[in-house]
Amino acid sequence: MNWTETEPIISIKDLHKSFGSLEVLKGISMDVMKGEVVCVIGPSGSGKSTLIRCINALNDINSGSIKVEGQEVHDPKLNKLELRKKVGMVFQQYNLFPHRTALQNIMMAPVKVLKQNPEDVRERAINLMTRVNLTGKEDSYPGELSGGQQQRVAIARSLAMNPRVMLFDEVTAALDPETVKDVLITIKDLAEDGMTCILVTHEMGFAREVADCIYFTDRGIIVEYGPPSTFFSDAKDPRTKEFLSQIL
């Protein structure tokens, strides 16, 4: 596996995924280069979340190929843990452990899964809390934090594994409007630091500002994609135009 940075860090080819008789993804292909920020938008049920869950093997696939750094994700011999070290994921629900402090939540996986030195991990976790603007909240429990703060702990927890790619699945969907901004600023900072990010999002202003490329999916296919500069102002497909007219 001789992946180089001139090749896509994520390469998806003709991806098909069904749940029973329902075909959710109907031949999706996309390439994401290292350091690129990709936003996937589209109506509910268009396959967006399924797509990114396939990238880190939370969902299996029916056919096609997904490669991360040249490694086939759905190779039966692939160690899923090794993959998930490389590909971090943050969900709509924060899934924090309620009886652990914010700092303990961030430290758990590196210490327990990667068997790293707790002192080193602690130092890194404190730095990550600073990075997501939560200095002073290290000893707070999730129940003492706002939704936006919990989501930023979840982002820091994912970053603690030192991933190469971050996947964000509707991470602001469950938040109050005033806390959405802090989470989006955190993601924007990550993107500006060069982290490769794929986001499923309804935040069009954010997509316009941060994305290198926007993909519009509908009924399991990619209808249209392009940079924000042309995507929002010059969409070609009638379905894209209709979708944008409803949300912009």
Side-chain angles (χ1 to χ4, degrees):
M1 190 180 75
N2 299 319
W3 177 77
T4 64
E5 292 191 6
T6 55
E7 302 163 47
I9 190 166
I10 294 176
S11 183
I12 301 172
K13 299 273 183 284
D14 197 27
L15 176 63
H16 288 258
K17 168 65 182 169
S18 298
F19 294 102
S21 61
L22 178 66
E23 192 177 18
V24 180
L25 301 176
K26 305 172 184 174
I28 297 269
S29 298
M30 71 163 65
D31 285 334
V32 180
M33 301 305 290
K34 185 174 187 291
E36 204 170 12
V37 179
V38 168
C39 286
V40 183
I41 67 170
S44 296
S46 62
K48 308 181 297 292
S49 293
T50 301
L51 171 63
I52 66 169
R53 289 174 70 90
C54 289
I55 295 172
N56 78 342
L58 282 173
N59 287 345
D60 58 5
I61 66 175
N62 294 85
S63 64
S65 163
I66 303 174
K67 288 182 178 172
V68 175
E69 292 188 340
Q71 170 75 58
E72 179 58 59
V73 168
H74 294 275
D75 179 344
K77 297 191 289 291
L78 176 70
N79 179 336
K80 300 281 197 287
L81 175 61
E82 290 302 314
L83 171 71
R84 290 181 193 141
K85 281 191 222 168
K86 283 187 189 179
V87 184
M89 184 152 179
V90 184
F91 302 86
Q92 185 174 330
Q93 283 5 77
Y94 336 114
N95 303 331
L96 300 177
F97 292 97
H99 304 303
R100 303 281 178 122
T101 65
L103 194 65
Q104 288 168 337
N105 266 283
I106 295 167
M107 290 176 61
M108 277 180 77
V111 172
K112 289 200 168 10
V113 180
L114 303 185
K115 308 290 188 235
Q116 292 176 350
N117 178 323
E119 280 311 304
D120 296 344
V121 173
R122 181 183 172 80
E123 188 179 336
R124 204 164 79 234
I126 289 170
N127 290 337
L128 283 170
M129 289 201 72
T130 303
R131 190 174 177 187
V132 299
N133 297 317
L134 287 173
T135 303
K137 298 290 186 186
E138 291 81 4
D139 298 327
S140 300
Y141 289 90
E144 299 169 330
L145 299 172
S146 72
Q149 289 170 330
Q150 290 185 62
Q151 191 58 285
R152 283 181 282 148
V153 172
I155 292 171
R157 178 181 59 182
S158 203
L159 290 172
M161 299 290 274
N162 285 328
R164 320 262 217 287
V165 177
M166 286 284 281
L167 308 175
F168 297 94
D169 187 12
E170 300 272 20
V171 293
T172 57
L175 300 179
D176 306 326
E178 64 268 24
T179 58
V180 166
K181 187 162 155 261
D182 293 333
V183 173
L184 294 180
I185 287 169
T186 299
I187 298 171
K188 186 177 176 209
D189 290 346
L190 280 181
E192 286 173 354
D193 288 345
M195 175 66 76
T196 308
C197 299
I198 303 180
L199 302 102
V200 171
T201 185
H202 287 297
E203 301 287 341
M204 294 303 135
F206 177 77
R208 189 190 294 256
E209 188 182 351
V210 177
D212 296 300
C213 190
I214 295 177
Y215 284 81
F216 172 64
T217 60
D218 189 24
R219 297 177 200 152
I221 63 165
I222 292 169
V223 176
E224 190 163 353
Y225 67 95
S229 53
T230 55
F231 182 87
F232 287 109
S233 57
D234 194 26
K236 301 285 187 279
D237 192 281
R239 282 180 289 181
T240 316
K241 289 179 178 170
E242 185 189 359
F243 178 76
L244 291 174
S245 73
Q246 288 168 355
I247 57 165
L248 290 181

